[in-house]
Amino acid sequence: MPANLTISNHTTNYNFPALIFGILLIIFIICGNVLVCLSVYTEKALKTTTNYFIVSLAVADLFLAVLVLPLFVYAEFQDGVWSLNMTLCDGLMTMDVMLCTASIFNLCAISIDRFIAVSIPLNYNRKHVDQRQIVLLSATWILALAVASPVIFGINDVPNRDDSECKLEDNNYVIYSSVCSFFVPCPIMLLLYCGMFRGLRNWEEARKAKLRSSMQACKKLQEAAASLQPMAGLPPPLPPVIVKDLKDISLEELDQDQYPDDGPYQANCKDGGVSMLAYPSGSNNEDQNQNRHRKSAKINGRERKAMRVLPVVVGAFLFCWTPFFVVHTMRALCEECDIPSYVISIVTWLGYVNSALNPIIYTVFNTEFRKFFRKFLPTLPNCC
């Protein structure tokens, strides 16, 4: 969404702090989001459907840094006075509305995709983009273009337009675009995340309940295995998931512990049920099935890690962009309200800073992204 580039009634005062900060912000956004795109392109562990949506979000941030921010920083450097062609101003408004809308629509598409992954996991393609995900990715950009299209078709071309000010001229359009870009998608996105995490919590409790009901059966299985090996001395150890208190076990530990690899036999508790007693002489089919289950468990663990990152991304987006939409919607609804120009400038800068935050969030909360970033940034602090 565009900033309101206010008029200066006196001689232009060049804002050098805004110029320096703007140049640094542009460089940081480009470098960080290019690394996000490269990491998903080159690292096999990062080629997941969720990360393809994150790449789409990074592309929107890249376009913002290349197409919007340079002109915005130039206007801020001139104390908010627009000295360029008004056609270029309309292009700036169009790209600003479109890219901001694309960002939040990408976040909304991610929430829809994650909700589907939790609700119908058996029908969800984790490794390759299918038709449903292609539709979601395409819809984010098509709808974003549709929201911004009125600017292209001349809604900004009003009589007695001030050529020294670059902004959206139609207050009705400001309200319309704000509702479409922010006030409708955000509640939908938050509701989907609430449903998703409630589903994950219910799944975790159900899985622990199944494991709890099978603990005694697994112990009997261990005793039976020990009786079949009287010369072995001490009985083999229990799988760690049985020894520990289930209240203290995380989902990652459940995935790791339900397929123990050590020892002369394997006592497996798959989703809470005693499945088999496998000896080294077991068939190759059994080994293949076990490997497939281990791989599935690792994929599920990666997805849960990704789900922990996404709420942080959404929270950062809401923190950065909510003040902007509130302020500009208030200005459109209340033309008599006097909102200081520095407030408008601050909330606009805060919105643009969001494009630089996402790569930082990925490196802090996602192990695979962090490993890739360290290849390019060897001086990255250990805390990251």
Side-chain angles (χ1 to χ4, degrees), residues 36 100 114 132 139 172 177 186 281 284 304 308 334 339 346 363 375:
V36 169
C100 176
R114 293 293 82 204
R132 180 188 66 249
N172 292 326
S177 60
C186 281
S281 59
N284 291 332
R304 283 194 296 274
R308 286 200 298 268
C334 179
I339 300 177
I346 289 173
T363 57
K375 293 179 182 178

Side-chain angles (χ1 to χ4, degrees), residues 28-176:
F28 198 92
I29 292 173
I30 292 176
C31 293
N33 286 285
V34 165
L35 284 178
V36 169
C37 296
L38 285 176
S39 62
V40 176
Y41 179 77
T42 59
E43 294 293 317
K44 184 177 180 180
L46 290 172
K47 293 183 183 297
T48 65
T49 51
T50 299
N51 288 340
Y52 293 142
F53 284 96
I54 289 177
V55 167
S56 180
L57 178 63
V59 169
D61 290 336
L62 278 173
F63 281 144
L64 184 75
V66 173
L67 301 177
V68 174
L69 274 179
L71 293 176
F72 170 76
V73 172
Y74 177 75
E76 286 287 290
F77 171 64
Q78 297 193 97
D79 202 26
V81 176
W82 182 258
S83 60
L84 302 176
N85 187 280
M86 296 311 293
T87 301
L88 192 59
C89 170
D90 290 343
L92 171 63
M93 297 296 99
T94 301
M95 295 307 300
D96 208 351
V97 173
M98 177 181 170
L99 294 174
C100 176
T101 304
S103 293
I104 194 168
F105 281 0
N106 271 298
L107 289 172
C108 198
I110 291 172
S111 66
I112 295 172
D113 181 71
R114 293 293 82 204
F115 184 78
I116 294 173
V118 172
S119 302
I120 49 173
L122 295 180
N123 296 328
Y124 181 79
N125 190 342
R126 295 175 172 85
K127 297 299 292 182
H128 303 286
V129 177
D130 59 20
Q131 184 175 1
R132 180 188 66 249
Q133 291 150 348
I134 292 175
V135 170
L136 275 176
L137 283 169
S138 302
T140 58
W141 290 94
I142 294 173
L143 292 175
L145 179 60
V147 172
S149 61
V151 184
I152 302 176
F153 295 117
I155 200 172
N156 250 17
D157 190 12
V158 298
N160 302 319
R161 184 179 181 182
D162 190 345
D163 291 346
S164 65
E165 187 176 12
C166 184
K167 65 174 184 177
L168 291 176
E169 300 289 344
D170 192 310
N171 286 335
N172 292 326
Y173 176 73
V174 172
I175 297 172
Y176 158 78

Side-chain angles (χ1 to χ4, degrees), residues 259-310:
Y259 304 108
D261 295 327
D262 298 329
Y265 70 91
Q266 296 176 356
N268 294 340
C269 301
K270 296 180 182 178
D271 295 329
V274 179
S275 58
M276 65 180 179
L277 180 65
Y279 293 91
S281 59
S283 66
N284 291 332
N285 289 335
E286 291 176 342
D287 292 338
Q288 293 175 359
N289 289 335
Q290 294 170 37
N291 291 332
R292 187 160 52 247
H293 283 299
R294 293 191 194 101
K295 183 177 180 181
S296 175
K298 291 179 181 179
I299 292 174
N300 291 336
R302 269 204 308 273
E303 287 184 349
R304 283 194 296 274
K305 291 177 181 178
M307 289 178 187
R308 286 200 298 268
V309 177
L310 296 176

